[in-house]
Amino acid sequence: MGARHSRKRRASRPTFSAERIFGGVLCWQCAQMISSAFMIWADCRLIRRIDVNVKNLYWADSGDLVAIASDASFYILKYNRDVVSSYLDSGGSVDGQGVEDAFELLHEMSERVRTGVWVGDCFIYTNSSWRLNYCVGER
């Protein structure tokens, strides 16, 4: 007989009830559509709370850039993975807001994103008028 495949299942309990979850490098959980947080998938440890009404979330393949789309605007953030790892490895405690320097705001655009995709460090999106636009991730 062939090798047996086992499935690993793990349950974690976040600190709030999640109404929506987005995937990617980190898990994004929304509660009441306003209180949202980036969490580590494995143990639901809080990385950073960001209070924005999230409509969609787009991670770049590199895992270092993320676009957060809300009703009327979007934000490009840089995820500082090394800062987070160092902080957690040193035993630093995470308060209700998470690791302060986990993300750096690179761009804030007053445009609604209908569809979006990352190509390298360039976020390509259609806006509310269905016009094709782009925003380069790095400053």
Side-chain angles (χ1 to χ4, degrees), residues 24-58:
V25 174
L26 297 173
C27 176
W28 176 268
Q29 297 180 356
C30 301
Q32 300 168 354
M33 302 308 292
I34 293 178
S35 181
S36 304
F38 284 105
M39 316 282 279
I40 294 176
W41 279 104
D43 57 8
C44 286
R45 206 166 5 164
L46 175 66
I47 296 301
R48 188 70 185 152
R49 185 175 309 278
I50 300 174
D51 295 328
V52 65
N53 186 357
V54 177
K55 291 297 179 190
N56 215 332
L57 194 75
Y58 306 91

Side-chain angles (χ1 to χ4, degrees), residues 41-81:
W41 279 104
D43 57 8
C44 286
R45 206 166 5 164
L46 175 66
I47 296 301
R48 188 70 185 152
R49 185 175 309 278
I50 300 174
D51 295 328
V52 65
N53 186 357
V54 177
K55 291 297 179 190
N56 215 332
L57 194 75
Y58 306 91
W59 279 98
D61 289 339
S62 66
D64 294 336
L65 298 169
V66 63
I68 301 174
S70 68
D71 285 328
S73 60
F74 71 94
Y75 310 89
I76 304 287
L77 304 176
K78 180 179 180 185
Y79 174 45
N80 297 317
R81 183 186 326 256

Side-chain angles (χ1 to χ4, degrees), residues 79-133:
Y79 174 45
N80 297 317
R81 183 186 326 256
D82 294 337
V83 169
V84 171
S85 293
S86 295
Y87 186 82
L88 296 176
D89 290 346
S90 71
S93 64
V94 179
D95 66 10
Q97 293 301 311
V99 180
E100 184 175 346
D101 296 326
F103 290 91
E104 175 186 348
L105 177 64
L106 299 179
H107 301 283
E108 180 177 352
M109 305 291 286
S110 297
E111 257 190 317
R112 180 174 170 227
V113 173
R114 288 188 182 264
T115 61
V117 65
W118 283 94
V119 178
D121 67 349
C122 181
F123 183 60
I124 300 172
Y125 65 97
T126 55
N127 64 11
S128 58
S129 302
W130 292 104
R131 292 186 73 185
L132 186 63
N133 297 282

